[in-house]
């Protein structure tokens, strides 16, 4: 399927120039490392044509659970890398780990987020990458996502059913359940037991995925996903007779889409990098709410007023744009996605394709989904990055509970989506 890529000779040149500019720019910024981390996330997400929302949406609409199974691999690999980081690089208490509260807010937030991502066909990080190849849908989603986050800040920071946890473990009393705490006799401070339990949960997810796909096939409801077929199409580089500096070599190294499993490993590596670099786990959506506050500042709303409503420090809204690490990291995700498409000579092709697929009559679905997702992130204390992936990779029980209710919300949302599309 190489002919589907490398459609332009100019785009790869632009892509490499863009990378050079960004590398230089990162050296001139206080939060340059966050830009580079964002670029990495965006590049991996786009090159593997992967995302969290697709784990449910692809299963429901096409019957394929390959992405769901690769997500299980991502969870386990990221947990292994997390253990390695904790073992070789210091005290866990020096990190701000995503050991989240287990409460009613987690359940409702996951349900809402799952429902919303079904309507928008993306999540938070997915909306940022989709700006590159599904631009109109992503723009509508984000326009309504931002205020959803900001309006939810007040509840997140004041309500006990969102802040307080029903269950906690020894090293995270009153905060959440850290799986290694469940294994006090473990010779590696509980990490071996936590890793085994994470492996069991991951295998359970794989088992469910295989069962679901088998059921869809039995009902003749399996259609598959086109891009997954492209990703799995073998391409062997002729190393004996071919030239190293050739179109085939470039395609193989820089343009050929990664498989879902390669993407899963790449995301696991990036999650470990961001934790090692920033001492905090990956998150996306808090920046969306702050950006909405910055937008309101253009109309004279002060940072103090914004902070008072959101129950946050005023400095969160007074910080210069280029010094806000979370925001710069998110911008990096978008640019990283664009950069891959340019390097693969596919940007214009996919951009046009995304516009062609957009239907004005679906705007209300994307708007509703975006707002529900944004508001849901505040109830669940994060999105698929901050409430699902980061907690699971950091061995927090909350991430697995979030996953269950995310799937429930996603399947309900997909049923609603299909009914609305039929009408």
């Amino acid at each position: 399927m190489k002919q589907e890529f490398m459609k332009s000779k100019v785009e790869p040149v632009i892509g490499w120039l863009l990378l050079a500019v960004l590398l230089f720019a990162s050296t001139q910024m206080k939060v340059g490392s966050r830009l580079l981390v964002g670029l990495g996330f965006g590049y991996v997400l786009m090159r593997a044509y992967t995302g969290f929302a697709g784990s449910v949406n692809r299963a429901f609409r096409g019957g394929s659970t390959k992405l769901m199974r690769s997500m299980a691999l991502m969870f386990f690999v990221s947990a292994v890398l997390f253990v390695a980081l904790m073992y070789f690089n210091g005290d866990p208490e020096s990190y701000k780990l995503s050991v989240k509260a287990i409460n009613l807010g987690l359940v409702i937030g996951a349900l809402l987020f799952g429902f919303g991502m079904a309507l928008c066909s993306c999540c938070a990080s997915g909306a940022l990458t989709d700006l590159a190849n599904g631009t109109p849908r992503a723009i509508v989603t984000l326009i309504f996502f931002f205020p959803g986050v900001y309006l939810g800040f007040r509840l997140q920071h004041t309500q006990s059913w969102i802040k307080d946890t029903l269950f906690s473990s020894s090293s995270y009393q009153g905060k959440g359940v850290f799986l290694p705490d469940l294994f006090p006799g473990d010779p590696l401070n509980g990490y071996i037991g936590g890793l085994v339990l994470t492996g069991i949960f991951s295998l359970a997810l794989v088992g469910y995925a295989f069962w679901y796909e088998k059921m869809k096939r039995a009902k003749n409801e399996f259609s598959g996903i086109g891009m997954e077929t492209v990703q799995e199409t073998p391409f062997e580089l002729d190393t004996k007779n071919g030239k190293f500096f050739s179109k085939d070599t470039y395609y193989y190294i820089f343009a050929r889409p990664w498989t879902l499993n390669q993407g899963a490993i790449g995301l696991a590596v990036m999650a470990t990098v961001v934790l090692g670099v920033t001492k905090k786990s990956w998150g996306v959506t808090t920046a969306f709410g702050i950006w909405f506050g910055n937008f309101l500042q253009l109309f004279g709303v002060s940072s103090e007023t914004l902070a008072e409503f959101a129950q946050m420090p005023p400095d969160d809204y007074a910080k210069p744009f280029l010094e806000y690490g979370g925001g710069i990291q998110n911008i990096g995700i978008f640019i990283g996605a664009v950069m891959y498409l340019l390097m693969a000579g596919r940007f214009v092709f996919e951009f046009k394709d995304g516009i062609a697929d957009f239907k004005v009559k679906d705007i209300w679905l994307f708007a509703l989904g975006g707002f529900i997702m944004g508001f849901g992130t505040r109830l669940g204390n994060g999105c698929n990055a901050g409430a699902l992936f980061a907690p699971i990779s950091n061995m927090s029980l909350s991430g697995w509970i979030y996953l269950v209710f995310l799937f429930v919300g996603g399947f309900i949302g997909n049923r609603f989506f299909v009914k609305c599309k039929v009408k």
Side-chain angles (χ1 to χ4, degrees):
M1 296 297 293
K2 187 179 71 171
Q3 64 272 19
E4 293 296 324
F5 292 78
M6 308 297 294
K7 288 179 171 292
S8 168
K9 295 181 179 180
V10 176
E11 287 182 22
V13 176
I14 298 174
W16 286 104
L17 287 174
L18 176 62
L19 175 60
V21 170
L22 292 170
L23 289 175
F24 175 76
S26 69
T27 65
Q28 309 300 308
M29 301 168 61
K30 290 185 177 180
V31 290
S33 62
R34 303 295 292 275
L35 174 63
L36 297 179
V37 166
L39 289 174
F41 272 118
Y43 183 89
V44 173
L45 286 165
M46 193 73 260
R47 185 160 186 180
Y49 287 86
T50 190
F52 301 98
S55 62
V56 177
N57 296 341
R58 293 184 187 186
F60 185 91
R61 300 173 193 178
S64 173
T65 60
K66 290 177 181 177
L67 179 52
M68 192 181 294
R69 301 195 301 267
S70 75
M71 196 163 70
L73 173 67
M74 176 186 71
F75 291 153
F76 184 71
V77 172
S78 66
V80 171
L81 295 176
F82 168 73
V83 170
L85 181 64
M86 294 298 100
Y87 183 76
F88 291 108
N89 201 34
D91 185 1
E93 294 184 2
S94 65
Y95 295 84
K96 187 178 180 181
L97 301 183
S98 289
V99 180
K100 300 292 183 73
I102 299 172
N103 51 35
L104 182 61
L106 180 74
V107 172
I108 297 176
L111 288 169
L112 290 176
F113 198 87
F115 185 88
M117 74 182 191
L119 304 189
C120 298
S121 297
C122 63
C123 59
S125 58
L128 293 172
T129 57
D130 283 356
L131 281 172
N133 65 346
T135 307
R137 171 175 51 79
I139 289 176
V140 174
T141 297
L142 290 172
I143 286 174
F144 288 88
F145 204 130
F146 290 5
V149 174
Y150 179 75
L151 293 175
F153 273 149
R154 189 176 185 87
L155 286 176
Q156 181 187 22
H157 297 136
T158 60
Q159 299 302 303
S160 61
W161 55 277
I162 299 174
K163 295 174 59 180
D164 300 340
T165 186
L166 297 174
F167 309 97
S168 60
S169 59
S170 58
S171 64
Y172 281 86
Q173 283 291 335
K175 297 180 180 179
V177 177
F178 187 47
L179 295 184
D181 288 343
L182 305 181
F183 305 92
D186 190 321
L188 200 61
N189 297 323
Y191 287 122
I192 295 177
L195 198 56
V196 169
L197 194 54
T198 299
I200 292 172
F201 289 157
S202 298
L203 287 174
L205 178 58
V206 171
Y208 169 76
F210 275 119
W211 170 83
Y212 184 87
E213 184 170 316
K214 183 178 180 180
M215 179 192 69
K216 296 290 278 189
R217 289 179 183 273
K219 292 182 178 180
N220 291 319
E221 295 177 355
F222 181 90
S223 59
I225 306 298
M227 181 50 71
E228 290 179 358
T229 302
V230 173
Q231 290 170 277
E232 293 171 1
T233 300
F235 179 84
E236 294 186 6
L237 190 63
D238 187 356
T239 56
K240 292 184 178 181
N241 302 314
K243 296 180 180 179
F244 180 77
F245 293 101
S246 67
K247 191 172 183 179
D248 282 352
T249 303
Y250 182 90
Y251 169 76
Y252 187 82
I253 299 175
F254 299 112
R256 183 174 182 240
W258 286 341
T259 65
L260 292 175
N261 285 342
Q262 288 173 325
I265 294 171
L267 288 174
V269 170
M270 289 308 307
T272 308
V273 169
V274 74
L275 181 61
V277 170
T278 69
K279 302 294 183 179
K280 297 188 296 184
S281 299
W282 184 31
V284 176
T285 53
T286 296
F288 289 176
I290 292 176
W291 281 347
F292 184 74
N294 296 150
F295 172 73
L296 294 180
Q297 286 178 304
L298 298 177
F299 300 93
V301 182
S302 68
S303 58
E304 291 76 15
T305 301
L306 293 168
E308 182 181 1
F309 174 84
Q311 294 294 293
M312 297 168 66
D315 286 348
D316 287 345
Y317 297 94
K319 188 175 296 185
F321 185 80
L322 292 178
E323 294 181 14
Y324 176 44
I328 294 299
Q329 185 169 288
N330 283 349
I331 292 172
I333 292 174
F334 161 63
I335 299 176
V338 171
M339 192 169 67
Y340 164 69
L341 291 176
L342 286 171
M343 289 178 174
R346 196 173 163 85
F347 176 74
V348 173
F349 172 78
E350 294 217 10
F351 183 81
K352 290 181 178 178
D353 197 45
I355 293 177
D357 286 344
F358 180 74
K359 295 179 176 59
V360 175
K361 65 184 180 65
D362 292 334
I363 287 179
W364 74 275
L365 283 172
F366 305 146
L368 176 64
F371 184 84
I372 288 175
M373 277 197 291
F375 193 76
T377 65
R378 299 309 93 195
L379 306 188
N381 287 303
C383 60
N384 284 339
L388 173 67
F389 183 28
I392 288 178
S393 67
N394 292 175
M395 293 190 175
S396 172
L397 181 60
S398 65
W400 291 105
I401 296 173
Y402 186 92
L403 175 68
V404 172
F405 290 98
L406 176 80
F407 278 11
V408 173
F411 281 112
I412 294 172
N414 269 288
R415 288 186 180 276
F416 179 78
F417 177 82
V418 170
K419 287 184 178 180
C420 291
K421 294 287 281 187
V422 170
K423 291 179 181 180

